[in-house]
Amino acid sequence: MQITRNATDTFTGPGDWFTGTVHIDAVAVPAGSSRVSAVSVHFTPGARTAWHTHPHGQTIYVTEGVGLAQRRGGPVEVLRPGDRVFFEPGEDHWHGAAHNRFMTHLALLDVDDAGAAVVWGDHVSDEEYGAAPATGA
Ligand code: MN
């Protein structure tokens, strides 16, 4: 048993991978034979990931706020607390906050044999993000 007390610094999502300000807390880190990686990601209004894929897919679970997600070629979907999304392995997608709301989600995945969790692509442009539907008050 290994206890990690609440003393791990929150880190900021790198600008190469995110648009806007994103704060990330580590929840589970792969160790030994475990491939599970989990983070709690806090998106400020308008912040979002770049386009990306995950080698073994990813589950996100919204805990707070109002979020958006889109797979390549699909509509921008509005996400609310309690909503869960599974992105298929290799499915190109992005996720983030609504333009006018914070959003926090847990993100859970299995890393690959090399320990990689994500393959990053281009940023989500304002035009792509702006295609998001209104999220209401
Ligand atoms: Mn993802």
Side-chain angles (χ1 to χ4, degrees), residues 49 52-54 58 60 87 93-95 105 107 109 118 120:
T49 68
H52 64 281
T53 63
H54 303 286
Q58 177 188 48
I60 63 171
F87 301 102
H93 71 282
W94 62 269
H95 31 108
H105 68 51
L109 55 73
V118 189
W120 291 103

Side-chain angles (χ1 to χ4, degrees), residues 97-113:
H99 77 277
N100 58 342
R101 294 294 302 269
F102 278 82
M103 188 274 281
T104 300
H105 68 51
L106 292 172
L108 308 100
L109 55 73
D110 291 310
V111 300
D112 70 10
D113 291 342

Side-chain angles (χ1 to χ4, degrees), residues 1-50:
M1 187 170 93
Q2 179 182 352
I3 298 176
T4 301
R5 300 296 180 188
N6 188 357
T8 304
D9 287 348
T10 297
F11 62 99
T12 302
D16 285 352
W17 302 349
F18 296 92
T19 297
T21 302
V22 176
H23 302 281
I24 303 170
D25 291 312
V27 175
V29 177
S33 62
S34 172
R35 297 292 184 86
V36 176
S37 169
V39 289
S40 179
V41 188
H42 314 268
F43 296 86
T44 58
R48 66 268 191 182
T49 68

Side-chain angles (χ1 to χ4, degrees), residues 19 48 51 68 70 76 94 123-133:
T19 297
R48 66 268 191 182
W51 288 99
L68 302 172
Q70 183 183 26
V76 177
W94 62 269
H123 282 291
V124 174
S125 70
D126 289 343
E127 290 70 24
E128 290 168 319
Y129 182 78

Side-chain angles (χ1 to χ4, degrees), residues 67-71 74-79 85 94 96 132-133 135:
L68 302 172
Q70 183 183 26
R71 67 174 176 84
V76 177
E77 302 279 358
V78 177
L79 303 176
V85 181
W94 62 269
T135 55

